[in-house]
Amino acid sequence: METVIASLITGIFGVIVVLITNVFTNRRGYDKIDSKIGTMNNTTLSGQHEDINENIKQSEANIKGNIIEKTSSIYSRVDNINNLMIKSEGRYENLNLDQREIRNNVSKLVSDWEKLIIENNNLRMENHKLRDKIYVLQDRLNQEEDWERER
């Protein structure tokens, strides 16, 4: 009888130890998971949608504010350019015929000069491309000559 009681006590003690160990191990595992996940808001899906909607509205308001600020800056610059053009036109109207002709000729010269600069840059780029092609062709020719010598 004593052995049965001792077996029962040992079994019950073993089960209790296993349960305590499992609870401790599970608790440690849950703590590790919580530390990796972080704190979660226990909100419903509609609550999360409202949060997202508020974030979108806030971002939209920030974007609109930036756009309004930038467009007002652009408008002020356009107004300044417009005022300068009006002043320039007023000055142009005050010129006599010879002065207008000189101004028009200078404008044409400046325009032609700008076109020549653009054309010069295009020709310079084309020249570089052609030089690169020449180097490639010379390299290829040298390789073929080397290959012919080896044969």
Side-chain angles (χ1 to χ4, degrees), residues 26-40:
N26 286 341
R27 188 69 190 150
R28 243 180 80 204
Y30 289 134
D31 289 341
K32 286 182 181 178
I33 291 172
D34 284 343
S35 69
K36 302 254 187 231
I37 293 175
T39 57
M40 298 288 292

Side-chain angles (χ1 to χ4, degrees), residues 8 23 30 32 34 64 84 96 98-99 104 116 124:
L8 261 161
V23 166
Y30 289 134
K32 286 182 181 178
D34 284 343
K64 282 183 181 178
L84 286 173
N96 63 33
D98 291 335
Q99 291 172 332
N104 290 337
L116 282 173
R124 189 174 289 135

Side-chain angles (χ1 to χ4, degrees), residues 63-125:
I63 291 170
K64 282 183 181 178
N66 287 339
I67 289 173
I68 289 171
E69 180 183 325
K70 298 296 181 186
T71 53
S72 66
S73 171
I74 291 170
Y75 283 139
S76 67
R77 289 180 184 174
V78 168
D79 288 341
N80 288 340
I81 292 171
N82 192 26
N83 290 337
L84 286 173
M85 289 181 67
I86 291 171
K87 288 178 184 177
S88 177
E89 288 298 319
R91 290 179 186 154
Y92 179 73
E93 289 178 5
N94 290 334
L95 298 176
N96 63 33
L97 290 176
D98 291 335
Q99 291 172 332
R100 285 184 188 184
E101 185 178 344
I102 292 171
R103 183 186 177 275
N104 290 337
N105 288 337
V106 168
S107 295
K108 287 179 186 177
L109 279 173
V110 169
S111 175
D112 290 343
W113 182 258
E114 289 173 350
K115 288 178 186 176
L116 282 173
I117 290 173
I118 292 170
E119 184 179 348
N120 189 21
N121 287 335
N122 291 338
L123 288 172
R124 189 174 289 135
M125 288 182 358

